[in-house]
Amino acid sequence: MTLSLVHCNPATGTVAAITATGGVAVGGYVHHCWRGTGACVTQGLFTNPWYPARIYEALAAGASARQALRAAVSEDSDSGFRQCLVMDSQGRTSVHSGAENVPEVAETCFPSVAAVGNMLQSAEVVRIFAERFLRLSATNSSAAIQRNESPRFPVHHDQHLLTHLIDALDAALSAGGDKRGARSAALRIESFHQAPIDLRIDWSEDVVSALRALVDEFMAENFQAFWRQLPLR
């Protein structure tokens, strides 16, 4: 009942995720990022909020995305109700979508960028989500979308990541998004050269506009003066 996108840049260790759903407070439950290690989203008919701890443990120990996902799902007797996407630090992806999830259930995965969703208006939503992000972010987006090349990201990529995530979500929601509409959304970015960014809209009739307004407040000089002083570790 949720759609999400994750991105890991193997060249820099930057990790990001953005999520939207028809319910309340999605940011507290679904996406999880660990710079230099990977990311996961845990969603579905009934989210399992304990997946991330197991997945992080596996990724931090050197497991691939596939191995980390298997470790979490294998311990869950109700995995049919879950949808989980894992991406490791090399940008490799693995997805579990249990049979009990409500259609449409879909995934679109490229190296370093992947999107998943359930209870979608159509399967096209996640394809548009991932492809829009690539067109905004990758210097070789056409070749990456055609799967002829792995995505390449410019040196200033992180400076624009915040707006690219929201613009990609906007495209996905405009294509139908969650069948119920989107009422909460959140994003997180972790990197080695700046403090984490964690923005959440817990309830809104227009989550994209609310996110953009929150970004304006985040980028205001008085908050930036505080944020830039936060330690990096």
Side-chain angles (χ1 to χ4, degrees), residues 101-177:
N101 284 298
V102 179
E104 291 285 337
V105 178
E107 63 190 69
T108 296
C109 301
F110 299 95
S112 302
V113 178
V116 294
N118 59 88
M119 198 184 273
L120 299 172
Q121 193 66 39
S122 76
E124 287 292 284
V125 169
V126 293
R127 180 189 64 79
I128 290 168
F129 203 176
E131 291 187 4
R132 179 61 175 160
F133 181 83
L134 284 171
R135 291 198 185 280
L136 290 166
S137 301
T139 58
N140 62 335
S141 59
S142 295
I145 289 169
Q146 294 300 316
R147 303 181 189 277
N148 295 324
E149 299 174 3
S150 293
R152 295 192 296 271
F153 303 100
V155 293
H156 58 272
H157 173 55
D158 284 9
Q159 299 174 27
H160 304 286
L161 186 50
L162 181 57
T163 55
H164 289 175
L165 289 167
I166 297 172
D167 288 347
L169 176 63
D170 193 8
L173 296 181
S174 296

